Structures are given as C-alpha cells and as structure tokens.
Amino acid sequence: MNINNILVVSPMFKELKALLEKEKLHNNFLFKSEEEMSQEDLGWADALVTFNLKSEYNYSHVKWVHSLGAGVDRFLYQKDWNEEVLLTRTICSFGQRIAEYCLSYILKDLQFHDEFQGLKQQKKWLPKTPKLLNEQKVMIYGTGEIGQTTAKILSGLGMEVYGVSLNGRAKEDFKEVLTVDSHFSHLRETNYIINTLPLTEQTAAFFDEPIFTQLSNAGFINVGRGASIREEALLEAIDNYHVSFAVLDVFAEEPLPKDNPLWDHPRVYITPHISAVTTPDEGVACFLETLKNLEENKPLHNKVDCKRGY
C-alpha cells in the first residue's frame, strides 16, 4: 500500500510528533488535536492515526485507519464502515497491564485489605487467614491477546483459569475455553469474573441478570467495555451477594456522571479507564511496525476484522 500523507489526531499529538520526527520517515505528517481536526485535513490524508472517529466527518476515502487503542468499537460499533478502508489497532503491553490490574484487586480481596483497614480504624486486633491464589477459579471472557496474557499470568500463579469465547476454541494457559452458550454450568463455582470482551452487537449488555444470578459471591472485574454490562443488574447482584464486589475501569458513558449510583456503592471500585493506557512510546512503536509491514506488503497481525468488530 502506498501511504504518502498521514494525519495523526490525538490528545497526545505533541508527544507523538516528537517521537515520529526522530524517525525521519519519507511520509508527510500532519499532527492535530481532536478539536482542531477538519474535513480538509481528512481530504489531504491517505491514512489516519487516532483514538476516535467523529460522526460528522467522512472517512471513506482514507486508505488506512490505525487505532491508537486496543479497542475499535469507537470505529465500528453501530457505525457503517467502508470495507475498502483498512483498519488496524494497537497491540503493545495492554495484556500485561490489564493482568497486573486484575491481579492487584484479586490479591486485595484474598488478603482482606479492606477488612483489616476497617479493623485498624477501630483499633481491633482480629487475625484472619488470607486465602491462596491456587485455591481460586477465574473465568476470563474474551480469549484474544489481552485475555490470553491475563490467563498466562494468573495460571502461572496457580489459579484455575477458564475462558469464554464465541467459538470455544482451545487456547494455551486456559484449563478450558467455553462458548457463550456453555459457560453457565461453571459460573456458580467461579471466584472471579474478568471481562476483556470487545464491544460488538453480540456483547452489548452481555452481562445481565441471567449471568449475575448464577454467581455465588464472586468478584467481578470489567476491563473490556462499559456497555457490555447492564449496570442496574450488576448493582442488584452486588446487593444480593451474587457478586461480592465489582472493579470497573470502563463505562458506557465516560467520564462517569456524578449522579451515577455506582459512585456511592461501598463494594464498587472505580478507576478512570487506566487499566491499559497507550503510552506515546508504545503507540508509536506499533504504528511504525504496521506502517513498515504495509509498505513492504507483509502480513498484519493487528488487522481488524470489521465484520466481527475486533
């Protein structure tokens, strides 16, 4: 593919510009913030590098769009995509970052951090034996790169890790990979649920009452997409102790509105979409690798299947 003009649109466009200018590439670059970008800029570009697509612009003539994030729902979900436009996504340390994020909250639970902090405030000395990782079962929804890395790290620490995917195809580091239709039989004995699913038509509001009511005091961690969860059903499941606690890093609306009841629930932990952040260095490295492979007509391991949505 012949790529001459590349438009980079990002809140961190200055950092990306500084890194890319050091590479002395033959391509022409234009760097803009999301607020500054115009249709005229798009008309100039052969390729667009960004986190988002704004609905008011026409992207159909661009040859290639590269997502600076791992997820591509902002490009595809409930949108019409010109299949002649190549879409790629960033793959970097997301799996490692998300695995460590999930592990931190699992250990926090097993080591009774909140309980001991409460006892400290009461000045009470009340010993309680922490639980072990190798006694726990975890179910990871989504067995792509992020899910596989998380499974590798958690299983390496002795946890019994199951996966859930559309096809149920076996993957390394999962004891078993189940389909979305066959996973219900394992839910009651699962200690922790981790969602890494992309947002598609199939996964929107996927976590609802039928799943939550099958759980027995399990921890729920969402690092996938906020719209995959029906929040009212999650809150009801927490109140009924189907879910012991929820760790939420992503939401259907971000920033999370101040009047959202999730803020006030004592067993809901909220982080501002930081479990897998694209750093400028990693974003540039993946973009450069993809550009090189494109120009040399080599296979793209980060190409998005636009029909499937990931």
Side-chain angles (χ1 to χ4, degrees):
M1 183 180 290
N2 188 22
I3 300 292
N4 293 315
N5 300 329
I6 302 174
L7 173 62
V8 180
V9 181
S10 168
M12 57 182 185
F13 73 94
K14 292 180 181 178
E15 294 91 335
L16 298 175
K17 180 179 180 181
L19 291 167
L20 285 168
E21 285 180 344
K22 293 179 182 179
E23 300 294 327
K24 302 189 183 303
L25 300 169
H26 68 84
N27 317 82
N28 303 310
F29 283 87
L30 183 61
F31 298 87
K32 293 284 184 94
S33 68
E34 292 182 352
E35 294 74 22
E36 294 173 328
M37 187 190 75
S38 67
Q39 187 66 55
E40 184 180 352
D41 297 328
L42 276 170
W44 168 85
D46 297 312
L48 172 66
V49 181
T50 187
F51 283 105
N52 299 298
L53 290 185
K54 293 187 175 180
S55 58
E56 62 265 32
Y57 294 118
N58 179 11
Y59 302 84
S60 60
H61 71 282
V62 177
K63 297 178 183 178
W64 168 39
V65 175
H66 179 71
S67 169
L68 286 168
V72 291
D73 53 281
R74 291 174 179 174
F75 300 82
L76 299 176
Y77 181 60
Q78 295 184 336
K79 294 181 173 68
D80 293 325
W81 184 264
N82 182 352
E83 293 186 17
E84 294 182 2
V85 178
L86 172 69
L87 178 60
T88 58
R89 66 186 183 92
T90 297
I91 296 177
C92 53
S93 66
F94 294 141
Q96 182 74 25
R97 289 179 182 275
I98 280 179
E100 292 182 10
Y101 175 95
C102 295
L103 179 60
S104 71
Y105 283 96
I106 291 172
L107 285 171
K108 179 177 181 292
D109 183 46
L110 296 177
Q111 296 287 329
F112 304 120
H113 285 192
D114 288 346
E115 190 168 336
F116 286 130
Q117 183 64 17
L119 290 169
K120 171 184 175 290
Q121 292 171 355
Q122 300 174 56
K123 298 182 180 179
K124 286 186 177 179
W125 185 272
L126 188 61
K128 187 174 183 179
T129 303
K131 301 176 184 177
L132 294 172
L133 283 168
N134 63 12
E135 297 171 346
Q136 311 304 311
K137 294 182 180 180
V138 61
M139 189 175 292
I140 299 174
Y141 288 76
T143 59
E145 185 270 335
I146 289 172
Q148 288 178 59
T149 302
T150 304
K152 181 178 181 179
I153 290 173
L154 297 184
S155 64
L157 292 168
M159 297 188 76
E160 190 172 296
V161 182
Y162 294 85
V164 179
S165 70
L166 289 174
N167 55 37
R169 187 180 301 121
K171 295 284 183 71
E172 191 175 356
D173 299 309
F174 292 96
K175 181 172 182 178
E176 186 179 357
V177 177
L178 309 161
T179 67
V180 292
D181 297 319
S182 66
H183 74 281
F184 284 89
S185 61
H186 288 67
L187 286 176
R188 193 156 302 275
E189 60 190 32
T190 298
N191 303 108
Y192 300 98
I193 297 287
I194 299 173
N195 175 42
T196 73
L197 290 169
L199 180 60
T200 67
E201 299 291 342
Q202 292 77 26
T203 65
F206 179 82
F207 293 94
D208 202 343
E209 185 178 353
I211 289 179
F212 289 134
T213 54
Q214 294 300 310
L215 299 173
S216 179
N217 215 30
F220 182 83
I221 303 174
N222 188 20
V223 288
R225 283 294 181 261
S228 293
I229 298 172
R230 197 168 73 82
E231 292 177 1
E232 296 86 352
L234 173 61
L235 286 168
E236 185 176 346
I238 296 172
D239 288 338
N240 292 327
Y241 285 90
H242 294 295
V243 173
S244 59
F245 69 91
V247 178
L248 307 176
D249 185 56
V250 289
F251 303 89
E253 184 180 352
E254 296 181 1
L256 186 66
K258 292 183 178 180
D259 61 353
N260 190 300
L262 291 170
W263 284 114
D264 299 317
H265 202 291
R267 288 186 283 124
V268 172
Y269 301 90
I270 291 173
T271 55
H273 206 144
I274 49 78
S275 62
V277 176
T278 303
T279 66
D281 287 321
E282 289 182 314
V284 165
C286 185
F287 163 73
L288 289 173
E289 179 186 0
T290 308
L291 176 62
K292 182 176 184 292
N293 289 338
L294 264 179
E295 293 183 331
E296 296 178 1
N297 293 315
K298 292 182 178 179
L300 300 172
H301 68 285
N302 58 338
K303 180 179 178 179
V304 175
D305 184 333
C306 296
K307 290 184 177 179
R308 298 173 70 183
Y310 53 92

